[in-house]
Amino acid sequence: DAKTTQPTSMDCAEGRAANLPCNHSTISGNEYVYWYRQIHSQGPQYIIHGLKNNETNEMASLIITEDRKSSTLILPHATLRDTAVYYCIVRPRTLSNYKLTFGKGTLLTVNP
Amino acid sequence: DGGITQSPKYLFRKEGQNVTLSCEQNLNHDAMYWYRQDPGQGLRLIYYSQIVNDFQKGDIAEGYSVSREKKESFPLTVTSAQKNPTAFYLCASSIGSAVTDTQYFGPGTRLTVL
């Protein structure tokens, strides 16, 4: 699986947009980009995933560069409850892939 | 209320005792998974099951056992053979048949072995 690189930590002011970058320069054509987050002492929460087009849902937007080597997760109006570790994961697009490989992620701290 | 439940949230056991962690889902998912998370680390796959009465070892299966007798349930037993059982244990489930098969996680069980 392709590896991902994320900043260790980021800060964001409440009410502002939080933009979390992820580098996945070795991604291959059959690999999806997934984002999860984990609030302290809770299970990971699925946020969004995409292949090559930008995606948006009720939680966030995912912007994938044209060459697919990086992506940005956008939380449009961050709240204190968005403070969590955010994981960017690359997964092959196959039925046989069963494992999610979580790296260290980015600790996003939303400040009042 | 649909979702994945894990019980208990906190569990304490003495060294040398086996302990079983519960995982139940009412999402009608075929596939279920067990992961382990240590402080400051990512998740590591212990076991997974893609269908009832079938399961496979993940990356760190030694010292663990599972069963999958019902679609809704995938209990994990931490045996006395597991050298470092203290960890945060996470259960997940997914449809199992989709190419973009999203895994959804339960709240986790924090096991402490004294």
Side-chain angles (χ1 to χ4, degrees), chain A:
Chain A
D1 295 355
K3 289 190 175 178
T4 61
T5 304
Q6 299 178 252
T8 303
S9 63
M10 293 182 65
D11 287 311
C12 178
E14 188 177 18
R16 304 298 292 268
N19 297 290
L20 292 95
C22 180
N23 182 288
H24 31 80
S25 58
T26 60
I27 194 170
S28 62
N30 73 336
E31 291 181 314
Y32 279 81
V33 179
Y34 277 76
W35 283 82
Y36 281 79
R37 73 180 183 184
Q38 188 174 25
I39 295 169
H40 184 62
S41 294
Q42 296 183 22
Q45 179 186 22
Y46 165 76
I47 302 173
I48 200 167
H49 72 275
L51 184 63
K52 54 184 178 181
N53 297 322
N54 297 339
E55 302 288 344
T56 295
N57 63 19
E58 64 278 4
M59 287 183 68
S61 295
L62 174 60
I63 308 298
I64 302 174
T65 58
E66 195 168 338
D67 62 7
R68 301 187 69 240
K69 293 185 176 183
S70 66
S71 61
T72 301
L73 179 75
I74 301 173
L75 307 179
H77 305 287
T79 71
L80 299 179
R81 289 177 294 180
D82 292 322
T83 292
V85 178
Y86 287 76
Y87 297 98
C88 169
I89 299 164
V90 171
R91 287 186 68 196
R93 188 186 175 193
T94 62
L95 285 174
S96 63
N97 181 272
Y98 45 83
K99 181 172 63 176
L100 287 176
T101 302
F102 284 70
K104 297 285 181 68
T106 297
L107 172 60
L108 174 69
T109 303
V110 181
N111 300 305

Side-chain angles (χ1 to χ4, degrees), chain B residues 25-99:
Chain B
Q25 54 97 1
N26 60 4
L27 301 169
N28 200 33
H29 285 170
D30 283 318
M32 297 186 75
Y33 312 81
W34 275 105
Y35 290 86
R36 166 184 173 140
Q37 187 175 34
D38 293 286
Q41 303 297 315
L43 278 64
R44 291 184 289 168
L45 183 67
I46 304 172
Y47 268 98
Y48 67 102
S49 167
Q50 306 223 293
I51 199 166
V52 174
N53 292 321
D54 187 45
F55 49 83
Q56 283 78 41
K57 294 181 179 180
D59 296 327
I60 55 164
E62 186 175 349
Y64 300 98
S65 66
V66 293
S67 63
R68 186 85 187 277
E69 297 176 2
K70 298 187 299 182
K71 187 175 185 177
E72 304 79 24
S73 178
F74 190 40
L76 173 75
T77 296
V78 184
T79 75
S80 56
Q82 168 50 234
K83 291 182 172 42
N84 296 299
T86 294
F88 189 41
Y89 289 88
L90 291 155
C91 178
S93 72
S94 68
I95 293 173
S97 58
V99 171

